Amino acid sequence: MARNKYDVDEVLEDRFDVNQLKRLAGYIRPYRKQMAAVIFMMLTASALAMLIPRFLMTVMDECIPQKDMKTIGLYSLFTFLIALYVSVSLRFKIKITNEIGQNIIHKLRYDIFAHLQELPFSYYDTRPHGKIQVRVVNYVNSLSDLLSNGIINTITDLCNLVFILFFMLWINVRLTLICLCGLPVLVLVVVLIKKKQRVAWQIQSNKQSNLNAYLAESINGIRVTQSFTRESRNTDIFNQLSRGYRESWMRAVKFNFLMGPSVDIISTVTTAFIYVLGIQWMLGGDGGITVGVLVAFTAYISRFWNPINTLANFYNSLLTAISYLERIFETIDEEVQVKDVEGAMEMPLIEGKIQFRDVVFGYEDGQIILDHIDFTANQGESFAIVGPTGAGKTTIVNLISRFYNVGSGAVYIDDVDISKVTIRSLRSQMGIMMQDSFIFSGSIMDNIRYGNMEASDEDVIRAARTVCAHDFIMKMDSGYQTQVNERGSRLSAGQRQLISFARALLADPKILILDEATSSIDTETEIVLQRGLKELLKGRTSFIIAHRLSTIQNADCIMYVDRGKILERGTHEELLALKGEYSNLYLSQFDFLKK
């Protein structure tokens, strides 16, 4: 999925890759035995049902003239038993096909979601989240009918056509040939609209994706929208996107609706010809056509065009599904840039020594964010990283957690190259608090325990006390069991940060990364928090990014980063004595506070 935003359509593929259907077949393959059983029952039911018009012809041409009530009763019994078997087969088919279809949908949705969990931050940084969500939910759901009924119906209907043609040829060859004259016309219709129909559904999926992207963006930014009174403007944008979706939908279904009427028109015309010619031949005594033959044959005609109509609908569903399959598999095929290398080992128990050795990194080719970074943080030391916005501070700590791969050079923890260890074993031994204090829907207890699912309630409370979150939590409606909304809308920014702080500390990590951890906390709470953290950070290697320099004065080492390089490093006193960039930054903040 290329970089874009809500008002930019995604790129359309010029040609359909048949391998997409082969991949879909791989999801169907585990259920081939159940599908074979359903197909067998449906085929036997269809084959038996084909006998009913033949029974009717025999009754009309032979039994009624001869007043043979015993044979009529026997045929009636056979017809009843066939109808009963068809009903049981249909019920069995509906139950099994729905189970198979939903199992396949579940597996598809699981695969795409599991893959999304592994994709790097850069994937989410460059595309609207709504366009990602629509693939997991809407696009996968759109395949439901195709997988539940379409495939089995297609197989059974193709076989039904063979059965029907056999009985039609058995009754009368000439009438059968007249019926088949309509097929070339139908094939011509299919050929003419096939490409336009597929492109129309691709455009429709793009417009749906755009609409969903803007909807997600608007909901997430509703506070900003209302603060700047942008409601009317945003509604106009939404209306424009919705109108584009509606127009693309109407154009796509227009092509779909060409198929059904085409089949109906062709079947009606051929049936009319058969009636006209059949009656003429019957009245003229030509061709051995009787009333029973004509009645039976017209019954077969309706059965002949019904499966063709079903096949046409399946063709429509397939073209629609193809446009969604392309997007689904495109997401699943998105390269996982940060993944375990072949033969990756488990990270040994971390002690806490961290080294950057000549690290160069950029988010895009040709871009340099970190330029030959070298430093060593020994076990238990606290490192603070300061500098202007965009200098590369957060990038450094992201590389320690291996959220990105370095361009060149290497990052070592306890003399182990972290690119050679499994990501899970590395991150599970770290405590990380990002700038975005994300709160999940659920209880406060569950949000803190997110950092260590095996932690007891007492452990959670102890972590909350350490970061000074316990008091405000206990003042809430249900204490630690208070339910909070997605993104923690019921909490203040400072409260969200304290909960995120407790979450990171609960993991009991050897390496602790705090990215602007106290930016939304008031000064009084910060003073208390610093006292609690002082004991907690003993024996742990910590990296602290902070714009408020009062929070990092006691760090063992402060690095001033700018333009991708470490320009200065040392303790707070050493850097002040240097009278360089750090000193200027500190004095400017000090002067501002005095004012």
Side-chain angles (χ1 to χ4, degrees):
M1 189 161 73
R3 179 196 299 263
N4 59 56
K5 55 195 186 77
Y6 68 81
D7 56 351
V8 178
D9 289 343
E10 298 169 79
V11 178
L12 296 175
E13 299 293 336
D14 293 332
R15 295 183 179 180
F16 171 64
D17 186 359
V18 72
N19 290 322
Q20 308 286 21
L21 291 180
K22 291 180 180 178
R23 290 181 67 175
L24 183 62
Y27 285 88
I28 300 172
R29 194 170 295 117
Y31 306 99
R32 57 186 180 274
K33 291 183 179 179
Q34 296 98 309
M35 294 182 71
V38 173
I39 290 171
F40 174 77
M41 287 194 70
M42 293 306 299
L43 289 180
T44 54
S46 298
L48 291 172
M50 296 302 155
L51 294 172
I52 295 177
R54 192 73 175 85
F55 293 165
L56 182 60
M57 185 183 77
T58 304
V59 167
M60 295 184 68
D61 287 346
E62 298 177 16
C63 298
I64 292 178
Q66 297 174 12
K67 299 181 179 179
D68 186 356
M69 297 303 297
K70 181 178 179 181
T71 305
I72 292 174
L74 192 61
Y75 278 133
S76 298
L77 177 62
F78 288 157
T79 301
F80 171 76
L81 293 175
I82 290 172
L84 182 62
Y85 180 74
V86 169
S87 299
V88 172
S89 300
L90 185 61
R91 186 179 185 280
F92 178 75
K93 173 210 161 189
I94 292 172
K95 179 177 182 296
I96 298 300
T97 53
N98 277 290
E99 287 181 358
I100 292 173
Q102 289 307 307
N103 285 339
I104 295 172
I105 290 295
H106 169 75
K107 183 64 168 66
L108 262 174
R109 186 175 288 119
Y110 171 83
D111 284 351
I112 190 172
F113 182 79
H115 189 70
L116 287 172
Q117 300 299 294
E118 298 178 352
L119 291 177
F121 290 172
S122 56
Y123 178 82
Y124 299 95
D125 293 341
T126 56
R127 45 191 47 80
H129 294 176
K131 290 194 176 187
I132 302 172
Q133 294 167 357
V134 76
R135 298 180 181 218
V136 182
V137 182
N138 301 59
Y139 289 2
V140 175
N141 285 345
S142 298
L143 302 177
S144 179
D145 185 61
L146 174 71
L147 297 172
S148 297
N149 298 299
I151 296 173
I152 289 179
N153 285 348
T154 300
I155 295 173
T156 55
D157 285 338
L158 283 171
C159 294
N160 285 343
L161 280 176
V162 176
F163 295 152
I164 294 168
L165 282 173
F166 171 77
F167 280 98
M168 290 171 68
L169 290 169
W170 183 15
I171 292 176
N172 191 280
V173 175
R174 285 193 295 175
L175 293 178
T176 303
L177 293 177
I178 294 172
C179 182
L180 293 177
C181 287
L183 285 181
V185 180
L186 182 61
V187 171
L188 179 62
V189 172
V190 171
V191 171
L192 289 175
I193 69 173
K194 178 182 71 172
K195 184 175 181 180
K196 291 182 178 180
Q197 189 176 7
R198 174 174 169 259
V199 171
W201 279 110
Q202 282 185 319
I203 293 173
Q204 185 273 334
S205 72
N206 282 343
K207 300 304 181 185
Q208 182 184 16
S209 180
N210 293 347
L211 182 64
N212 200 74
Y214 187 70
L215 180 62
E217 179 181 297
S218 298
I219 292 173
N220 288 332
I222 191 64
R223 286 177 173 79
V224 179
T225 296
Q226 294 182 359
S227 297
F228 288 89
T229 63
R230 280 266 307 190
E231 295 91 341
S232 296
R233 174 58 181 157
N234 287 8
T235 302
D236 290 341
I237 295 174
F238 182 84
N239 187 44
Q240 181 181 353
L241 293 172
S242 182
R243 186 163 49 245
Y245 171 73
R246 181 192 63 192
E247 292 171 356
S248 66
W249 171 268
M250 294 302 295
R251 176 175 172 79
V253 297
K254 179 183 71 175
F255 289 111
N256 273 24
F257 291 155
L258 285 176
M259 294 296 293
S262 298
V263 173
D264 291 339
I265 292 171
I266 294 170
S267 65
T268 301
V269 171
T270 54
T271 302
F273 270 107
I274 287 170
Y275 272 122
V276 172
L277 295 176
I279 291 173
Q280 285 182 352
W281 291 336
M282 183 180 64
L283 295 176
D286 183 17
I289 296 179
T290 64
V291 174
V293 169
L294 192 58
V295 170
F297 197 86
T298 53
Y300 281 124
I301 289 176
S302 63
R303 294 174 183 238
F304 174 77
W305 287 105
N306 280 339
I308 289 181
N309 198 22
T310 303
L311 290 173
N313 290 331
F314 172 76
Y315 178 76
N316 284 334
S317 299
L318 184 63
L319 286 178
T320 305
I322 283 171
S323 65
Y324 296 137
L325 274 177
E326 290 170 331
R327 300 305 188 200
I328 292 169
F329 288 134
E330 181 185 56
T331 305
I332 293 177
D333 292 339
E334 188 74 31
E335 183 181 0
V336 179
Q337 298 173 353
V338 182
K339 57 185 177 181
D340 295 340
V341 298
E342 185 176 352
M345 64 178 184
E346 293 290 306
M347 182 71 192
L349 190 64
I350 289 178
E351 295 180 0
K353 180 183 177 182
I354 299 174
Q355 291 176 290
F356 272 54
R357 299 182 184 176
D358 199 29
V359 171
V360 176
F361 174 80
Y363 292 103
E364 298 177 357
D365 292 338
Q367 179 190 55
I368 296 180
I369 301 297
L370 299 180
D371 187 8
H372 299 283
I373 297 296
D374 282 283
F375 68 83
T376 299
N378 293 314
Q379 177 185 354
E381 290 185 337
S382 58
F383 266 58
I385 308 175
V386 300
T389 301
K393 304 185 295 296
T394 298
T395 302
I396 291 176
V397 295
N398 281 341
L399 293 182
I400 296 174
S401 309
R402 205 182 159 208
F403 288 128
Y404 302 92
N405 289 322
V406 299
S408 64
V411 178
Y412 290 82
I413 296 180
D414 298 336
D415 297 320
V416 176
D417 186 345
I418 64 172
S419 66
K420 303 297 191 298
V421 302
T422 62
I423 294 173
R424 184 178 297 273
S425 66
L426 172 68
R427 293 178 188 164
S428 64
Q429 299 187 63
M430 293 184 175
I432 305 169
M433 182 177 169
M434 301 291 189
Q435 286 175 302
D436 183 12
S437 303
F438 194 93
I439 300 297
F440 298 90
S441 58
S443 69
I444 292 177
M445 178 73 74
D446 291 338
N447 265 280
I448 297 176
R449 189 179 277 123
Y450 198 88
N452 180 2
M453 298 305 294
E454 297 179 358
S456 65
D457 290 356
E458 290 73 19
D459 293 332
V460 171
I461 295 172
R462 190 179 303 113
R465 286 184 182 277
T466 302
V467 301
C468 306
H470 178 76
D471 290 343
F472 88 79
I473 293 174
M474 294 307 297
K475 292 178 182 178
M476 301 192 76
D477 300 340
S478 303
Y480 284 87
Q481 299 306 318
T482 300
Q483 297 294 310
V484 291
N485 302 327
E486 180 184 350
R487 304 192 68 87
S489 58
R490 294 183 60 188
L491 303 170
S492 69
Q495 289 172 336
R496 290 197 299 270
Q497 282 200 324
L498 289 176
I499 290 175
S500 298
F501 221 142
R503 177 196 298 161
L505 300 181
L506 187 63
D508 192 24
K510 290 296 183 181
I511 296 175
L512 187 62
I513 296 173
L514 308 176
D515 189 348
E516 291 294 340
T518 60
S519 60
S520 298
I521 299 173
D522 61 83
T523 305
E524 184 178 347
T525 303
E526 183 184 351
I527 294 172
V528 179
L529 176 61
Q530 291 292 342
R531 289 200 297 266
L533 289 180
K534 186 175 182 180
E535 292 299 318
L536 183 67
L537 294 181
K538 285 184 178 179
R540 307 177 195 276
T541 306
S542 59
F543 280 80
I544 306 168
I545 297 176
H547 284 102
R548 208 186 305 174
L549 302 186
S550 60
T551 62
I552 49 97
Q553 292 182 20
N554 295 324
D556 295 312
C557 179
I558 300 173
M559 298 189 299
Y560 185 92
V561 178
D562 192 12
R563 299 184 296 278
K565 294 180 178 293
I566 301 175
L567 300 184
E568 300 173 6
R569 71 181 76 188
T571 64
H572 173 69
E573 289 76 15
E574 290 171 345
L575 293 181
L576 286 181
L578 191 61
K579 298 186 182 300
E581 297 291 343
Y582 176 82
S583 177
N584 293 335
L585 181 62
Y586 177 78
L587 292 176
S588 65
Q589 285 194 12
F590 183 74
D591 291 339
F592 176 79
L593 292 175
K594 283 173 58 178
K595 293 178 183 179

